[in-house]
Amino acid sequence: MAMEKELMKNLTKKPITLRYPSEKATPVEGIRAKVAWDIEKCIGCGLCPQVCPSKAIELTGKGSEAEITYYLDRCLFCGECVDICPTKTIKTTSEFELAFTSRKETTIYYKRSTISPDSTEESH
Amino acid sequence: MKPIKGTLLEKAKEIRIPRARRMFMTINKTDFWKSMKKLVDSEGFRHLSTITGIDVGSKIEIIYHLTREDLVLSLKVKTSKKNPVLPSIVKLIPGAILYEREVHDFLGVTFEGNPDLSPLLLPDEWPSGICPLRKEWSSQDIWKATEES
Amino acid sequence: MVPEEIVTLLQIFLFPGFLFLFFLAFFSEWVDRKLVAKFQNRYGPLYTGPKGILQPVADFFKLLAKEDIIPTATDKTVFSIVPILVLALSMAPLFLIPMIDFSALVWFEGDLIVIMSITTLVIIAMFMGAWASTDRFSTIGGMRVGLQMLGYEIPMTIAMIGPAISSKSLSVSGIVQSQAGGLWYAITQPLGFAIAMICLLAHLQKVPFDVPEAESEIVAGWMVEFSGKKLALLRLAKNFELVLAGSLLVSLYLGGPLGFWLPHPSFYFFLKLIVCIFIFSNLRALFARFRIDQVLMGAWKYLTPLALLQIILVVI
Amino acid sequence: MAIRIPFGPQHPALKEPINFMCEVSDEKVLSVRPRLGYIHRGIERLAEERTYNQDLYLIERICGICSFAHVTCFSQAVEEVLNIEIPPRAKYIRTILAEMERIQNHFLWLGDVGHEMGFNTLFMYSWRDREVVLRLLETISGKRVNYAMNTIGGVRRDITPTVIESLERGLDRLEERAKYYKEVCAKDPTVLGRTVGVGVLSPIDALDLCAVGPTIRASGISRDVRADDPYAAYNEIPFRVITYDGCDVASRIMVRLDEILESVSIIRYALDNLPNGDVRVRVPRRVPEGEAVSLVEAPRGENLHYVRADGTEKPVRVKVRAPTLANIPPLCKMLVGGSIADIPVVVAGIDPCIACAERVAFVDTATEKRWVWNKEELRGYAKKWYQKK
């Protein structure tokens, strides 16, 4: 009985749930989702693979030809690499829709000359 | 911090008080039962937070974390690794029933008097004899052993 | 074939008959789900058809396509008969209720008693179904179905007799016609109306009384081992029972298809049915589930004496 | 005749797999036998093979809902071994986040109990209001669940003024909603019908069986780590330990709802006098020889972490005891005597977080064969244990 008032009120109110594919929730600006490298500025110091708790980052090559392989499916989105990076080349994007159809798509390669990730980053 | 009665202190081999409301006390196995009984009955340690088991090379160290309003006491007891046996304290603190089963599961310490030491957290067909938290098995051996079973 | 028979055949199969009832059942389930969703501040079915109206139909066909498992330990014959029996029993009384004009398709003196006995038969069929599938959860669910029937059956019957006495006829169409004077029984016998609503809710096993299929205790109660086509038929039977409960309330207490000036009386029946379903979903969204002993104790201690009181009021 | 009903491991009422083998005869529960180990990940063994910094993220994933309590407990233990003092502002931020997690946990729990009782509207409403807290946590820490805010030596992000102002708005709404639910749960006849006098745990049993958290506070015993052994900024913030002496699920509901109101006032007080200064202290990678026990009041109860270090950068032993494991023996006591319909409500009453309760052994039990329930030598463990008492 106690909830009767609330039920009646809700009859007139707009539902709070969103129709996901058409209406999308706007992420909060401080959100810590997928991580992205600006490979040109990377100096290949190798700190980020060390500090990553789930070994989601692999560094190949040294110095200015270093290239990063980023395993998105292993990443915890903890942001340790963002904090540790001396030249601030790693940034957290606000892209949180990370569902992929195949495992291959989740590994992203940051090549030196042209940033041509083998797999398409977003598949939707 | 209410001082713990003098008689108990001499029995303790070593006492360490790192900071307020914390005390570590090591006791040898022979007078473990008497001091535990005294702690529960007269000192008012009715709440047992948990029992930690550590494999320290040749021996197994069991730590009873007893808490009271103003003090968290960790009582350490060492038992040999070959046949680790300790009296069960379920009669004093009934809440200890699951913790003893847990330590039995992972370190193979048998607690006499515990009504039922059946596996609590390990699966039924876990290869007997393998205690996961003992140092002599590395993670890979445990993985291989469970593969076969 | 004289057109007369064709018309009745058509009526049986098409308009107030099967097709219309199928449509009504699916529509009432849709209304119920949308209203409860609206109460709970969410959308409810959306994507199948405009505003999700075809969702019940989609669920029905999906279940038809699903695999129909008959567990080994069950009593096979009874297990496969029960869904058909429950569906037939919950659809049959609908033909006795006047929906499109003041008298039902087939009506005779005493069809109210037929309806009441069929509603009891449905429960017994459910109990047979639970007993046939020897699963633990369904035996307990079956016991609860039986217990709950013992609880609400007496007050429901008494509450239905009220209008019959004051309209001096034992046929639903007769009762509807006697309310033609504008004085619906809901107004003259409000207590009977309330008790009939609560007992019908218990008959439908809707939330405050969904003890037999309490999904957080005994998984799906007596329906736990039915799957595929059998489950589809059972869920359809539940929808028919919802329509039956709604239309019983409408015809006994709210004057059936009595309309003032609108051209077709069935529009009025439709409107009142939706009001009843609104009340059911409101109660469904409002309460937590009772325990089986609370249901019985509540039924015997409160509902039955109140129903008797109502009869006394009607008689004097 | 006694039927044996397996309640779990896969059961709609249980979010996580735990199995209670209940012996039932005509709706009355005779005995309960708990069996854990279905989602066992061996976190303690894994923790010994990782550095302290990586352990943080492992410990954080012990439980999805009370992750911050576990990480605070772990980092406090390591800080105690290192005997470093974290800056006061970090203490306040830790307190604020701990209380926000408590609010979020209690709303989630309220919805869960509502669902067990068949009261789906309460479930929908309380989870809708939980979104307010999750949104706030997202603005502060960037993530809704495992916030990764805590680190050894302090906190990783500061609370900016814009966040504070949106926090205040959110708190007013939460307070108003908590008051509304208190009124609903105290007055609604069906809710009272299902919770008053259900799952009774007498104070003596609560003490004997070492119950913790709201379960013991609902039996009239005021035991709360925040008051008994204050950590973070709890010694500077005035707050009230809430106890009810109804000893049943209804009073557990009331304890948790009052705790939401209490947490709101704690956060407000902490926001008003938030000391300034930096939020983090640099910490060496190697932890010197030593051991430490740290206690934290997680939303479900007293949470204990024991860390032993030996000078390398990997801990020798990490012992985690989550509140739910302490509440399982009292739960078995509560279930006996009730009816089948009460089992889910009582089980949900202690807010079981099975993921917390079992993270010690090594192998996940995907190979668990189906539990053949007609095993003759099933020992009535609870029955024998009660005869002994």
Side-chain angles (χ1 to χ4, degrees), chain C residues 39-42 136-137 140 143-144 207 215-219 284-292 294, chain D residues 3-6 11-13 27 115-119 121 124-125 128 190 193-194 339-342 344 373:
Chain C
F39 281 133
Q40 292 174 352
N41 224 322
R42 53 187 171 85
R136 263 188 309 284
F137 292 129
I140 292 186
M143 278 191 260
R144 288 186 174 180
V207 165
E215 100 271 358
S216 57
E217 289 141 33
I218 40 173
V219 190
R284 187 155 87 94
L286 194 60
F287 290 115
R289 183 182 307 127
F290 286 124
R291 268 205 315 259
I292 190 71
Q294 285 164 344
Chain D
I3 319 173
R4 213 190 325 271
I5 295 199
H11 195 284
E27 296 273 346
H115 176 64
E116 300 314 339
M117 286 191 283
F119 197 179
T121 319
M124 295 292 175
Y125 282 174
R128 174 198 65 194
T190 49
R194 284 302 297 275
S339 75
I340 307 173
D342 293 334
W373 67 275

Side-chain angles (χ1 to χ4, degrees), chain D residues 21 369-376:
Chain D
M21 192 54 80
K369 63 180 181 358
R370 234 189 75 56
W371 175 277
V372 177
W373 67 275
N374 49 22
K375 217 194 266 183
E376 314 74 14

Side-chain angles (χ1 to χ4, degrees), chain C:
Chain C
M1 280 269 259
V2 173
E4 180 53 37
E5 272 106 22
I6 297 170
V7 167
T8 46
L9 264 181
L10 274 178
Q11 274 181 341
I12 289 173
F13 282 109
L14 282 184
F15 184 61
F18 281 99
L19 204 62
F20 176 67
L21 290 180
F22 264 86
F23 158 72
L24 207 58
F26 285 134
F27 180 71
S28 59
E29 186 197 342
W30 177 73
V31 167
D32 184 36
R33 279 170 70 170
K34 278 300 248 190
L35 277 174
V36 171
K38 195 75 177 145
F39 281 133
Q40 292 174 352
N41 224 322
R42 53 187 171 85
Y43 274 105
L46 267 181
Y47 296 109
T48 49
K51 281 220 178 305
I53 196 158
L54 299 179
Q55 183 67 34
V57 181
D59 291 348
F60 181 66
F61 286 119
K62 173 205 77 176
L63 272 176
L64 282 183
K66 281 269 176 17
E67 188 204 357
D68 188 349
I69 306 158
I70 302 183
T72 49
T74 57
D75 165 357
K76 302 221 175 2
T77 49
V78 176
F79 190 75
S80 20
I81 291 173
V82 158
I84 305 150
L85 195 62
V86 170
L87 180 65
L89 285 175
S90 52
M91 211 145 100
L94 284 169
F95 288 91
L96 301 169
I97 294 174
M99 291 193 183
I100 48 160
D101 62 9
F102 305 124
S103 67
L105 259 176
V106 51
W107 67 282
F108 51 90
E109 201 50 35
D111 56 18
L112 185 64
I113 310 290
V114 169
I115 291 179
M116 278 188 270
S117 57
I118 288 182
T119 44
T120 328
L121 277 180
V122 172
I123 302 290
I124 294 168
M126 286 184 192
F127 188 79
M128 263 164 51
W131 209 257
S133 71
T134 50
D135 171 76
R136 263 188 309 284
F137 292 129
S138 68
T139 23
I140 292 186
M143 278 191 260
R144 288 186 174 180
V145 164
L147 278 171
Q148 188 164 311
M149 182 192 86
L150 290 180
Y152 73 82
E153 197 61 35
I154 315 283
M156 186 162 92
T157 343
I158 299 171
M160 284 201 213
I161 297 293
I165 296 170
S166 55
S167 70
K168 296 184 188 48
S169 102
L170 264 179
S171 106
V172 179
S173 317
I175 296 172
V176 163
Q177 273 136 26
S178 73
Q179 290 172 28
L183 248 191
W184 295 340
Y185 290 118
I187 302 152
T188 57
Q189 303 167 14
L191 196 57
F193 180 61
I195 294 169
M197 199 198 306
I198 295 169
C199 297
L200 280 171
L201 209 60
H203 173 64
L204 289 174
Q205 292 159 17
K206 284 269 186 225
V207 165
F209 303 97
D210 75 339
V211 185
E213 42 169 293
E215 100 271 358
S216 57
E217 289 141 33
I218 40 173
V219 190
W222 65 279
M223 289 205 280
V224 78
E225 291 207 324
F226 292 95
S227 58
K229 283 185 282 303
K230 297 188 176 55
L231 190 59
L233 293 183
L234 282 178
R235 284 173 63 96
L236 184 60
K238 279 237 170 300
N239 293 344
F240 276 115
E241 267 175 46
L242 177 63
V243 171
L244 172 67
S247 47
L248 261 178
L249 260 182
V250 162
S251 40
L252 291 184
Y253 280 94
L254 297 171
L258 279 173
F260 297 106
W261 27 266
L262 273 167
H264 200 287
S266 77
F267 171 75
Y268 248 83
F269 175 83
F270 217 68
L271 202 66
K272 290 178 197 163
L273 186 66
I274 290 177
V275 163
C276 284
I277 293 175
F278 177 84
I279 300 169
F280 283 143
S281 348
N282 188 343
L283 292 177
R284 187 155 87 94
L286 194 60
F287 290 115
R289 183 182 307 127
F290 286 124
R291 268 205 315 259
I292 190 71
D293 47 335
Q294 285 164 344
V295 168
L296 282 173
M297 191 261 291
W300 285 105
K301 214 189 265 179
Y302 301 111
L303 287 186
T304 321
L306 282 176
L308 289 174
L309 175 69
Q310 173 59 50
I311 296 297
I312 298 157
L313 288 179
V314 160
V315 169
I316 49 176

Side-chain angles (χ1 to χ4, degrees), chain D residues 63-105:
Chain D
C63 156
I65 313 161
C66 46
S67 63
F68 191 78
H70 280 293
V71 181
T72 327
C73 208
F74 178 73
S75 37
Q76 269 171 354
V78 178
E79 279 147 16
E80 200 180 313
V81 174
L82 287 163
N83 67 51
I84 51 161
E85 187 65 21
I86 67 170
R89 188 176 176 91
K91 281 191 174 153
Y92 269 74
I93 292 178
R94 271 191 186 167
T95 319
I96 291 170
L97 277 161
E99 290 309 319
M100 286 186 73
E101 183 181 62
R102 197 183 313 282
I103 296 175
Q104 173 252 130
N105 177 283

Side-chain angles (χ1 to χ4, degrees), chain D residues 110-333:
Chain D
L110 185 66
D112 188 42
V113 165
H115 176 64
E116 300 314 339
M117 286 191 283
F119 197 179
N120 283 335
T121 319
L122 180 66
F123 169 62
M124 295 292 175
Y125 282 174
S126 55
W127 279 47
R128 174 198 65 194
D129 298 329
R130 182 173 168 249
E131 279 304 311
V132 175
V133 191
L134 289 181
R135 206 114 175 100
L136 290 176
L137 283 168
E138 205 172 9
T139 39
I140 297 176
S141 67
K143 282 167 81 177
R144 289 163 59 97
V145 184
N146 298 329
Y147 323 128
M149 263 294 269
N150 233 329
T151 174
I152 301 165
V155 181
R156 287 179 61 201
R157 271 191 181 186
D158 199 347
I159 293 196
T160 56
T162 55
V163 167
I164 291 182
E165 168 248 310
S166 66
L167 208 57
E168 250 124 29
R169 259 204 327 282
L171 287 179
D172 303 340
R173 172 140 171 75
L174 290 173
E175 189 174 23
E176 170 229 336
R177 289 311 295 174
K179 288 205 178 81
Y180 173 71
Y181 289 129
K182 249 185 86 165
E183 189 215 326
V184 162
C185 291
K187 283 222 289 299
D188 190 282
T190 49
V191 170
L192 292 176
R194 284 302 297 275
T195 54
V196 172
V198 165
V200 178
L201 183 72
S202 66
I204 322 131
D205 286 340
L207 269 175
D208 267 358
L209 299 170
C210 310
V212 282
T215 316
I216 197 168
R217 289 199 286 273
S219 302
I221 299 153
S222 103
R223 177 189 292 280
D224 183 335
V225 177
R226 295 176 294 177
D228 304 345
D229 173 19
Y231 55 95
Y234 283 109
N235 38 22
E236 293 144 35
I237 297 179
F239 71 97
R240 184 170 61 82
V241 177
I242 292 125
T243 56
Y244 275 77
D245 37 29
C247 308
D248 55 9
V249 179
S251 48
R252 275 171 217 130
I253 294 179
M254 283 304 146
V255 163
R256 286 189 165 94
L257 286 174
D258 273 344
E259 270 180 10
I260 294 180
L261 296 174
E262 206 53 42
S263 303
V264 168
S265 71
I266 291 176
I267 298 175
R268 286 214 178 101
Y269 182 92
L271 282 179
D272 295 348
N273 21 45
L274 190 64
N276 30 41
D278 57 12
V279 285
R280 196 174 168 170
V281 165
R282 271 287 158 247
V283 164
R285 279 176 71 83
R286 292 180 193 291
V287 179
E289 173 86 26
E291 58 185 350
V293 174
S294 90
L295 285 159
V296 153
E297 181 65 26
R300 290 184 179 77
E302 172 205 73
N303 191 352
L304 180 136
H305 277 229
Y306 168 81
V307 174
R308 168 176 287 195
D310 64 352
T312 65
E313 51 184 26
K314 290 196 170 81
V316 169
R317 176 74 165 100
V318 172
K319 167 71 183 178
V320 174
R321 200 278 289 150
T324 310
L325 190 62
N327 278 336
I328 286 183
L331 173 66
C332 294
K333 184 83 174 126

